[in-house]
Amino acid sequence: MPAGGAGTKVVHAVCTHDCPDSCGVLVTVDELTGRAVKVQGDPAHPVTRGFLCGKVARYLERVYSPERLLYPMKRKAGVAKGPLPKGYEAEAFERISWDEALELIVERLKKTAEEFGPESVLPYSYAGTIGQLGFGSMDRRFFHRVGASQLDRTICSSAGGAALKQVYGVKLGTKPEDFAHAGLVIVWGGNVHGNNIHLWPFIEEARRDGARLVVIDPYRTRTAALADEHWAIRPGTDPLLALAMMHVIFRDGLEDAEYMRECTEGGDELRVFALREEHSPERAAEICGIAAEAIERVAKEYARSGREGRKAAAIRLNYGIQRCENGGTAARAVCMLPLITGSWKKRGGGVLLSTSGSFPFEQERLQMPELMKKSPLGRAARVVNMNELGDALLELDGPPVKAMVVYNCNAAAVAPDSERVLEGLRREDLFTVVHEQFFTDTTDYADVVLPATTFLEHKELMGAYGHLYAQVSERAIEPLGEARMNVWLFGELGKRMFPGEPEFEDREEELIAQALDSKHAWFKGVTKERLEREGHVPLQLPANEQGEVLPFSTREWFLTASGRGELTPVPAFVAPVESRSSSKKDKRYPLEFLPRKADNYMNTTFANLAGHQQMERKLAGVLEMHEVDAAARGILPGDVVTVWNERGKIALLAQVSEKVGAGVVSARLDWQKLSTDGTNVNALTSQRLTDIGGGATFYSTLVEVKKLSVAAD
C-alpha cells in the first residue's frame, strides 16, 4: 500500500457503483481533519491498473457536495407530493432525529402490514451499490421477516444473465486480460469507452499486435468511432444477425465439429435452423441494415480465428443487446457463436457478458430467505417485477401496495413508463421512504428521506461482473453528517420491529465473514484477512497445463443440466412489436427511439453535479436525428421538438447527427427535474418485459417527432 505524504494516510477502497470494472481505489486522507483529499486508481490492481474513469476521478465533488443529504427528514404537513425545483427541495421537509425517523417508519410499516397484509409493503432497490452488503444483505433479512412483497430486480441485466445461464449454466466469460491475446474483437451492444473503460487498454494491446475491432451498435458511440468497422444495426434485430453469421459458418463448413460433438447439445438442430434461407446474409441485410458482404466477410473471419496459427476471436457482449423485447434470445444467439467455432479453446477467445456468477459468495446466508417462513405469511411472499412499478402502484391488488421503501435507486427517473410511475408515487395513501445521498426525482415524492453514505464512508465486500478479483473496500472517512449505510438502517429497523431477534445484530465485519465462509474451490485462499491485507485477491479458477484459465474449453466448465453448452431451443428471430421490423407495429410511430445512458453519468448517478454536467453539456436536452428524418419533418438543428407516443411526450432540442441512422432517434437519460419540461426519456418507454428474464425493454420504443418552435437566431 503506498504511503501518503506527511500528515496523511492512504486507504484502499473499491468503487461500488454499477460498472463491470469494480476499480481498486486509493483514498488519501488528511489525518488531522479526517477529510479525503485525493482519490486515484490502485496501480496494483491487475485489471483496473491505476486509473479511474472520468466519473469517479471527480468523486470527491460528490462526497463533499454542498447538496449532500446529511440528516433525516419528514414531509411537512400539508405539502403535496410532486416535483420540487432543484435547490428548493428542503422547503418541503423538516429535519428529525434518526430515532424519530426509525420509530415513524416502524409504526407505519406495522400499521400497514396489519391493515392490508405484509405484502402491501414493497422494497424498491437496484445497483446504486453493487457491494455484497449494500446491494443485498440486511435489507433482504428485514423485508423477508416482515413478509413484504419480493422485488424482482430485473431492470438492467436479467435477460442477458438468464441467457448465459441457459447456454452455459453459469455467468462466466473470457477474462478481460485475455482480450489482449485476441486477433479479432467484436463489441456487440456495448460502449467500452463509456461503461467498461478498463477493458479498452487490453483491446488496444491486441490491436497493436494486429487485431481488428468490429463494433455492432445502432448508435455511433465513442467506441464505435474508434473501431475498424462499425455496424449500425437496427434496434432489436441482433438475433437475426447472429443467425446470419451462423448461416455462413455452417454453410461453408467452418464450425468446429469436434468441439461441438464433445461440448455442446443440440448442434444438429441449430445447424438445420441456421441454414434456412430466412437466415441468409442477404435476408439479414434487408432487416438488420448491414451489408450482406460485411456479414459474410466477418462471419468467415470470426470462424477462422484461432485456427492455422491465427489468434482467437473474442466477443464483448454487453447489456445493450438485451434491452429489447427479444433481448434474451439475442443474448443467447450471440453466446452460442463461440460454441460453434470452438473459440473457447484458445486464449483470447470466447465471449464476455458477465463474470458475476464466478464469485461463490454465501448470499443466502447474507439474505436469509428462510425468514419469510417466520413472517406473518409463513411462506414466500409474492414477487413484483421492478419494471412494472407503474402498474404495481396503480393496479396491483390482493393487497395493493401501501408502503414503499426506496434505496440504491432513483426509481422515479429510471423506471419505465414514468408517467404511470409518477402517478402512483403521488398517491397520498402511499407511505414512501427514500434512503438517498441527494434530493432526487424520487425524494420529491417521499414521506421520509434518510441520508445515505458514499463508498468512502463505509466498509464493503466486492465481487465484479467484469473481472475475477474479490476485493474489500475499507472505510476511508467518517460518514458526513448523520449519513448511514443501509446495513445499519435495516438492522436498526429490524431490531425495533422484531426485538431480540439475532439476525439484525450483524454489522459489516460479521456480514463480510459470513459471505466469505464458502468451501467452493474457486474461493480457495480468498479470506477476509487476506483481502484486508492485500485489497484484491484473484479467484482460483481451474487452469490448464500452461497455467491458462480457459472457460468452457472442456466439458468440465459447463453447469447446465446436460453438462454441455445448450444450443437449443434454437434462437428464433421474432421482431419486437415496437420496432420497424414488426408487422404489428403502430404506424403512427415510425421512428425507433434509443433512450441512451450518458457517458459521464452512471445511470442517473452524478447527473446533478456541475462537473459531470459540463462533460455532458453537448447532449443535455438534445434529440439526435438523422438528416433524412429531420428534413422530412421540416426540422432544423436547434428547433424545439416534441417526441411522443401513447405513453407520454418530452420536449427536446433537435440535433442533426451522424451518430444515428435513418429511422432512429436518440436522447440521453437524465433527471426529470433537470429538464425544461420536467420529464425524461422514460415517459416514452414501456413496461413490456423481455422474452426471458423479465427484463426491461427500453430499446424497443417507437415514437414520432414534430417541431414545436423554430431555433433561436
Side-chain angles (χ1 to χ4, degrees):
M1 181 71 66
T8 65
K9 63 178 180 179
V10 176
V11 180
H12 180 272
V14 183
C15 176
T16 64
H17 286 283
D18 186 6
C19 170
D21 296 2
S22 293
C23 291
V25 180
L26 300 181
V27 185
T28 303
V29 179
D30 185 306
E31 292 190 283
L32 180 62
T33 63
R35 186 179 177 92
V37 296
K38 182 180 181 182
V39 294
Q40 64 191 96
D42 180 1
H45 194 289
V47 174
T48 65
R49 301 196 295 183
F51 73 96
L52 300 174
C53 69
K55 299 179 269 286
V56 178
R58 309 182 72 146
Y59 202 70
L60 295 185
E61 295 176 22
R62 180 175 184 82
V63 174
Y64 293 113
S65 169
E67 298 176 5
R68 275 286 299 274
L69 292 175
L70 300 178
Y71 307 101
M73 291 170 287
K74 69 176 181 180
R75 184 172 293 275
K76 292 178 180 177
V79 177
K81 299 176 181 180
L84 297 168
K86 188 174 184 299
Y88 295 90
E89 297 97 337
E91 295 178 8
F93 296 92
E94 59 184 86
R95 180 177 169 182
I96 57 176
S97 69
W98 264 110
D99 279 338
E100 289 177 275
L102 294 169
E103 290 302 323
L104 172 60
I105 295 166
V106 167
E107 177 187 349
R108 290 296 300 269
L109 294 186
K110 277 185 175 179
K111 183 178 178 181
T112 299
E114 289 168 1
E115 184 174 353
F116 299 99
E119 289 170 307
S120 64
V121 177
L122 176 67
Y124 199 92
S125 70
Y126 197 64
T129 172
I130 59 171
Q132 289 295 303
L133 311 191
F135 179 80
S137 64
M138 195 61 71
D139 60 314
R140 304 295 208 277
R141 295 184 186 186
F142 175 72
F143 290 114
H144 289 334
R145 180 65 179 86
V146 168
S149 292
Q150 298 183 79
L151 186 71
D152 199 5
R153 292 171 172 85
T154 57
I155 199 166
C156 177
S157 59
S158 61
L164 263 184
K165 294 192 77 172
Q166 283 189 18
V167 177
Y168 292 97
V170 60
K171 289 193 282 187
L172 173 62
T174 306
K175 293 170 59 177
E177 304 97 307
D178 284 354
F179 275 72
H181 300 275
L184 171 68
V185 177
I186 299 176
V187 174
W188 201 321
N191 180 13
V192 175
H193 260 266
N195 50 41
N196 189 194
I197 189 61
H198 294 87
L199 180 63
W200 186 253
F202 297 113
I203 293 175
E204 279 297 283
E205 188 176 338
R207 295 178 82 186
R208 287 193 296 270
D209 204 24
R212 289 192 341 108
L213 172 64
V214 177
V215 172
I216 304 171
D217 198 303
Y219 185 88
R220 192 169 178 79
T221 63
R222 294 180 191 173
T223 311
L226 293 167
D228 298 292
E229 288 186 54
H230 171 216
W231 292 0
I233 190 171
R234 290 176 182 164
T237 63
D238 304 86
L240 182 56
L241 176 58
L243 284 164
M245 292 180 66
M246 294 180 196
H247 183 98
V248 174
I249 293 167
F250 285 128
R251 182 198 67 198
D252 292 359
L254 297 175
E255 74 273 21
D256 187 330
E258 182 180 351
Y259 175 86
M260 288 184 68
R261 279 193 298 272
E262 174 64 19
C263 292
T264 70
E265 191 82 10
D268 291 340
E269 186 176 343
L270 179 63
R271 178 185 289 105
V272 170
F273 182 72
L275 286 172
R276 290 182 180 179
E277 182 57 30
E278 68 251 34
H279 303 140
S280 68
E282 292 74 21
R283 176 63 175 149
E286 296 173 9
I287 296 173
C288 299
I290 299 166
E293 175 278 327
I295 298 172
E296 287 265 359
R297 174 172 43 79
V298 172
K300 292 175 183 177
E301 181 183 1
Y302 176 76
R304 289 167 176 158
S305 297
R307 303 180 190 178
E308 300 172 0
R310 298 183 180 93
K311 292 186 175 184
I315 299 174
R316 175 52 169 126
L317 175 64
N318 214 341
Y319 288 115
I321 193 176
Q322 50 101 81
R323 295 196 180 110
C324 295
E325 293 166 30
N326 57 16
T329 297
R332 285 183 63 245
V334 176
C335 286
M336 290 176 183
L337 287 170
L339 294 176
I340 295 168
T341 64
S343 74
W344 290 109
K345 297 189 301 184
K346 194 167 184 178
R347 192 176 184 191
V351 62
L352 172 61
L353 174 61
S354 174
T355 60
S356 63
S358 312
F359 294 84
F361 294 116
E362 291 293 322
Q363 290 182 330
E364 286 204 357
R365 187 151 175 209
L366 284 181
Q367 300 179 11
M368 293 189 171
E370 67 271 16
L371 289 176
M372 286 188 281
K373 293 185 178 179
K374 197 175 178 182
S375 78
L377 291 174
R379 57 169 171 80
R382 71 181 177 189
V383 178
V384 175
N385 188 298
M386 69 186 306
N387 299 307
E388 299 175 320
L389 179 60
D391 287 351
L393 294 177
L394 295 175
E395 297 180 8
L396 193 61
D397 204 354
V401 175
K402 290 289 186 175
M404 187 163 75
V405 182
V406 182
Y407 55 104
N408 298 346
C409 185
N410 186 4
V414 302
D417 200 358
S418 61
E419 293 299 295
R420 285 182 63 76
V421 172
L422 298 182
E423 183 183 350
L425 290 174
R426 279 193 294 269
R427 285 172 37 204
E428 288 302 318
D429 67 331
L430 177 69
F431 177 66
T432 303
V433 179
V434 181
H435 186 228
E436 249 297 350
Q437 297 167 357
F438 293 90
F439 282 117
T440 64
D441 290 334
T442 309
T443 60
D444 287 354
Y445 298 84
D447 294 286
V448 178
V449 177
L450 305 173
T453 47
T454 66
F455 74 77
L456 268 60
E457 299 163 84
H458 56 245
K459 190 167 184 175
E460 184 58 277
L461 174 66
M462 289 289 293
Y465 62 95
H467 61 68
L468 297 169
Y469 291 85
Q471 299 178 86
V472 158
S473 181
E474 299 287 354
R475 185 173 72 179
I477 59 174
E478 292 297 317
L480 272 64
E482 295 178 10
R484 296 291 182 269
M485 186 185 187
N486 66 36
V487 168
W488 181 90
L489 165 62
F490 291 108
E492 290 300 308
L493 288 173
K495 285 189 284 189
R496 282 168 167 77
M497 204 155 177
F498 310 106
E501 298 191 13
E503 295 87 355
F504 303 107
E505 299 291 339
D506 294 333
R507 288 294 177 257
E508 290 95 317
E509 299 293 342
E510 293 85 3
L511 293 171
I512 290 172
Q514 291 166 19
L516 292 171
D517 187 20
S518 170
K519 302 299 187 288
H520 198 289
W522 294 2
F523 250 5
K524 184 178 181 180
V526 181
T527 64
K528 182 172 180 289
E529 294 72 25
R530 187 178 172 196
L531 285 167
E532 290 171 341
R533 183 174 65 250
E534 301 177 20
H536 59 268
V537 176
L539 299 181
Q540 296 301 306
L541 273 65
N544 62 17
E545 294 179 356
Q546 292 74 43
E548 299 170 326
V549 174
L550 301 178
F552 312 113
S553 55
T554 60
R555 277 189 58 184
E556 289 72 23
W557 286 91
F558 295 92
L559 298 182
T560 57
S562 68
R564 293 180 169 89
E566 296 287 355
L567 301 178
T568 54
V570 293
F573 170 61
V574 178
V577 172
E578 289 204 43
S579 73
R580 285 177 291 165
S581 307
S582 175
S583 60
K584 301 177 181 179
K585 63 180 177 290
D586 189 332
K587 295 180 181 179
R588 294 175 297 169
Y589 308 113
L591 299 173
E592 291 179 296
F593 179 57
L594 294 178
R596 298 188 63 251
K597 297 180 181 180
D599 285 345
N600 297 293
Y601 304 158
M602 189 76 69
N603 299 312
T604 67
T605 302
F606 302 108
N608 61 313
L609 300 175
H612 295 75
Q613 290 172 349
Q614 179 65 15
M615 292 190 286
E616 282 290 323
R617 67 190 183 281
K618 292 182 180 179
L619 292 179
V622 163
L623 179 74
E624 296 180 89
M625 305 183 69
H626 190 274
E627 60 182 1
V628 169
D629 299 316
R633 291 161 178 79
I635 294 170
L636 297 174
D639 284 348
V640 179
V641 298
T642 184
V643 189
W644 86 96
N645 57 25
E646 72 276 10
R647 291 179 289 272
K649 63 181 179 179
I650 59 177
L652 298 166
L653 294 178
Q655 183 180 104
V656 176
S657 172
E658 296 180 353
K659 294 180 180 178
V660 292
V664 178
V665 295
S666 176
R668 193 201 62 179
L669 176 65
D670 210 332
W671 287 13
Q672 291 151 343
K673 66 172 59 190
L674 298 178
S675 69
T676 56
D677 64 347
T679 61
N680 74 3
V681 294
N682 280 316
L684 306 171
T685 58
S686 80
Q687 296 180 69
R688 192 178 287 114
L689 303 178
T690 53
D691 49 355
I692 62 173
T697 58
F698 294 119
Y699 301 154
S700 291
T701 302
L702 288 175
V703 299
E704 180 56 291
V705 179
K706 69 177 178 181
K707 179 163 61 178
L708 286 181
S709 64
V710 178
D713 293 333

